[in-house]
Amino acid sequence: MKTINLRWMYPHYRHDEFVDVTDEVWAAMYQAKREMENYERRKVYHRAYYSLDAYSWLENYALEHGRSPEEILLEREERAAHLRLLSALPEALAHATPTQVRRVRAYYIAGISQPEISRREGIHSSKVSVAIRRGLRNMRRCYDGLSQTE
């Protein structure tokens, strides 16, 4: 059993009113108070103060579209992994033949389609597809070796 002050939860109480409640009730009340404080804190952080003539949905929209700390952390980890892969790209490309490197760069980095690459080089489209697939396989072996050494 916990003893709580009702003035703590209800601001319209002008004097202290102590009541004994079970642990479950106290936990629920404490959780509700924390959620309200977090809501107010998010309002301040996102500057979601709007005048009374603003739309009723505006405050909720501003607060719901903020990123959570977990989302921010995941984005940072993904960005770090992406940067590690980009920094290893020259080494991985060194494991492919010059033709494979040229076609992989044209297809993935420059965004040129495989039929366009085949037209530019004057070869059949299947040759481009095979070269890109084999180049990626050679690069993947390099990346797998890098991930095993970390």
Side-chain angles (χ1 to χ4, degrees):
M1 295 289 282
K2 298 258 186 194
T3 302
I4 61 167
N5 187 353
L6 291 180
R7 198 171 106 197
W8 174 69
M9 287 299 288
Y10 305 108
H12 64 274
Y13 275 51
R14 300 210 185 280
H15 60 282
D16 292 334
E17 184 79 29
F18 295 99
V19 178
D20 290 330
V21 294
T22 63
D23 291 338
E24 294 84 18
V25 171
W26 182 84
M29 292 178 76
Y30 186 72
Q31 179 67 24
K33 183 173 180 2
R34 286 183 58 211
E35 287 174 1
M36 286 301 295
E37 288 172 353
N38 289 339
Y39 176 79
E40 293 298 322
R41 202 172 301 120
R42 280 196 320 270
K43 260 186 10 185
V44 170
Y45 179 80
H46 293 288
R47 295 177 180 86
Y49 298 114
Y50 299 100
S51 66
L52 294 175
D53 60 346
Y55 298 107
S56 60
W57 52 265
L58 193 58
E59 181 178 320
N60 289 336
Y61 179 82
L63 294 175
E64 289 173 0
H65 287 82
R67 296 181 315 182
S68 70
E70 180 182 11
E71 290 171 345
I72 293 170
L73 182 63
L74 288 174
E75 286 176 10
R76 285 182 185 166
E77 289 176 355
E78 288 174 4
R79 185 171 292 129
H82 181 73
L83 291 175
R84 276 195 310 273
L85 289 175
L86 279 180
S87 66
L89 184 61
E91 183 182 340
L93 286 172
H95 286 76
T97 66
T99 305
Q100 291 171 347
V101 171
R102 184 178 67 246
R103 292 177 183 164
V104 166
R105 283 184 191 222
Y107 184 68
Y108 285 105
I109 297 173
I112 303 170
S113 67
Q114 289 184 9
E116 178 64 25
I117 295 170
S118 66
R119 267 196 299 281
R120 288 182 181 183
E121 296 183 4
I123 58 172
H124 194 269
S125 179
S126 65
K127 300 283 186 189
V128 174
S129 177
V130 168
I132 290 173
R133 224 176 315 122
R134 288 182 180 164
L136 291 176
R137 184 182 63 210
N138 292 339
M139 291 171 61
R140 190 172 291 122
R141 286 181 188 151
C142 175
Y143 277 127
D144 289 342
L146 290 173
S147 64
Q148 290 174 356
T149 58
E150 289 180 356

